[in-house]
Amino acid sequence: FYWNNFNEGEALYGWGLAIGDINADGQMDVYGLIHDTTESRNPYDVVMLGNGYRAENTPKFRKLVVPPASGNASGVITVHTNPNEPAKFLVLNGQLRNDGPNQLIQYVPDITVPES
């Protein structure tokens, strides 16, 4: 995942979403699956990490971008096989004529490398 303003083009639209706590912080996170209507590429998807509340009943999110695989958006589902572990998102990239790999997306926290 990495930061991006997500302004990729006019032929893109939301194709699906999944909700689950992928970073185990107790806040629900949202995976937004993006589809290219021209079928020429597989655009970046977006993960909105739930990050507490700005005000009462107003959730706050941190937007992250998921680099694309080949293919094009087909579907996304939440996978939660162990209640003691964070959820993962299963992304299917086989829309129409653009078959691509399925991806199991999991959150990896930012890693700080100590200076030597």
Side-chain angles (χ1 to χ4, degrees), residues 1 18-31 46-50 62 64 66 76-80 85-90 104-109:
F1 301 121
I19 299 171
D21 184 9
I22 65 166
N23 60 348
D25 67 352
Q27 302 288 326
M28 289 294 106
D29 308 306
V30 180
Y31 191 102
V46 186
V47 172
M48 302 297 286
L49 288 180
R62 185 174 117 187
L64 302 174
V66 180
V76 59
I77 59 172
T78 304
V79 177
H80 204 182
E85 294 179 2
K88 297 173 180 70
F89 294 123
L90 178 61
L104 187 60
I105 305 294
Q106 69 181 34
Y107 179 76
V108 177

Side-chain angles (χ1 to χ4, degrees), residues 4 6-13 34-45 68-74 93 95-99:
N4 187 316
F6 197 74
N7 184 7
E8 293 291 320
E10 294 180 15
L12 308 180
Y13 64 93
I34 310 299
H35 177 72
D36 179 5
T37 58
T38 67
E39 300 179 37
S40 63
R41 62 194 170 113
N42 187 15
Y44 296 101
D45 293 334
S70 60
N72 205 347
S74 180
N93 292 304
Q95 178 67 18
L96 302 173
R97 295 182 303 266
N98 291 333
D99 287 340

